[in-house]
Amino acid sequence: MTSSELWTRATADRYDAEESEMSSAAVLGPALAFLTELAGDGRALEFAIGTGRVGVPLRERGVPVVGIELSKYMAAVLRRKIDEDMLPVAVGDMATTVVPGEFTLVYLVYNTITNLLTQDEQVECFRNAARHLTPGGRFVIELGVPPLRFLPPGQVAVPFDVSERHLGFDTFDLVEQILVSHHLTRDGEDGRYRRGNSRHRYAWPAELDLMARITGLELERRVADWDGAPFTQDSAKHISVWRKPA
């Protein structure tokens, strides 16, 4: 088992409702088109597939998908949406769990590589992707750029969402490259807020490129979003594609 924090039953059950915007056609459409093109005529493996926000509609587009998911509760929510024979899921961690066969695409979306809280585990995640890929196959990661430019001396937190029903901010351990995302979410109409937090190990694009090189993968492309906008110094996130040499 890796250092990733386990998602509980309660968190899994409310995940889809809280992430409804991320499941919208506007958000998912470009991502699905991007991944479908890279998968080609082969199979796709999703690390940390969760409740199937991406994997289920990708399978519905005709791409054979297999998932790996650490939380049995998240996997149980996915299973309510699609049968095992249509989208198999192995319960285990994304750094070491191996599933049968080879894949033209392995992908890891929505910042989830940061759930691995050490550099060694993140390197093993790349190694696990490489071992599953066919020659010429691709590994794709969607990841935010650490917002440290917004952290001047003396400031300890960076807000990432200030809305009517949710307050979110990150605090940083700059030595260990650990950020903690803090959430205050309003439940119901009684004005009460539910507090939660999660730990993540942030990584820079260049650091991920070195992880890829260590595991035999080569950077093929880096863009700022699923629509393919150029990645610049002002980009808040990146979609990076590494290729396993043929």
Side-chain angles (χ1 to χ4, degrees):
M1 173 117 12
T2 63
S3 61
S4 296
E5 296 175 345
L6 280 169
W7 293 70
T8 65
R9 184 194 303 273
T11 303
D13 285 343
R14 62 174 175 256
Y15 181 83
D16 285 347
E18 292 185 345
E19 296 294 343
S20 58
E21 182 179 350
M22 293 299 296
S23 299
S24 67
V27 173
L28 272 183
L32 296 173
F34 192 105
L35 296 171
T36 299
E37 180 180 359
L38 287 182
D41 296 328
R43 299 195 303 157
L45 172 61
E46 181 172 356
F47 285 174
I49 194 170
T51 65
R53 179 182 68 89
V54 176
V56 171
L58 187 63
R59 181 66 184 89
E60 291 171 348
R61 286 194 171 207
V63 178
V65 177
V66 176
I68 294 174
E69 172 54 43
L70 184 61
S71 169
K72 64 180 181 180
Y73 301 114
M74 297 288 276
V77 174
L78 178 150
R79 190 54 61 224
R80 300 171 197 162
K81 304 173 183 178
I82 191 168
D83 293 337
E84 173 74 17
D85 59 348
M86 290 291 291
L87 201 167
V89 175
V91 175
D93 71 81
M94 57 186 163
T96 63
T97 301
V98 177
V99 299
E102 290 187 314
F103 300 83
T104 57
L105 173 67
V106 179
Y107 66 95
L108 181 54
V109 298
Y110 204 15
N111 304 319
T112 314
I113 193 171
T114 65
N115 290 0
L116 298 168
L117 299 180
T118 71
Q119 187 182 70
D120 286 345
E121 289 174 350
Q122 291 179 354
V123 171
E124 287 307 308
C125 181
F126 272 82
R127 199 181 311 279
N128 201 26
R131 72 166 54 97
H132 283 95
L133 286 172
T134 61
R138 276 89 169 192
F139 182 34
V140 176
I141 286 181
E142 175 188 23
L143 183 60
V145 176
L148 298 189
R149 63 166 59 184
F150 300 114
L151 195 68
Q155 183 170 317
V156 297
V158 173
F160 60 85
D161 184 34
V162 179
S163 58
E164 182 179 354
R165 305 193 68 87
H166 179 255
L167 300 175
F169 57 93
D170 292 329
T171 55
F172 295 85
D173 178 339
L174 301 181
V175 175
E176 298 296 331
Q177 287 185 213
I178 296 293
L179 70 83
V180 180
S181 290
H182 303 264
H183 303 268
L184 291 171
T185 306
R186 192 169 75 180
D187 285 330
E189 300 301 328
D190 59 4
R192 294 185 180 183
Y193 279 81
R194 171 171 39 84
R195 182 175 181 176
N197 62 70
S198 58
R199 294 190 303 152
H200 306 267
R201 183 187 186 273
Y202 63 85
W204 300 96
E207 185 180 6
L208 298 182
D209 289 343
L210 184 55
M211 294 181 190
R213 184 180 301 178
I214 289 170
T215 58
L217 302 177
E218 303 171 345
L219 181 66
E220 182 176 76
R221 182 174 21 151
R222 174 168 291 128
V223 292
D225 57 34
W226 295 109
D227 289 312
F231 179 74
T232 72
Q233 63 180 2
D234 296 318
S235 298
K237 75 171 186 178
H238 61 98
I239 314 295
S240 296
V241 181
W242 297 274
R243 183 175 180 272
K244 183 174 183 177

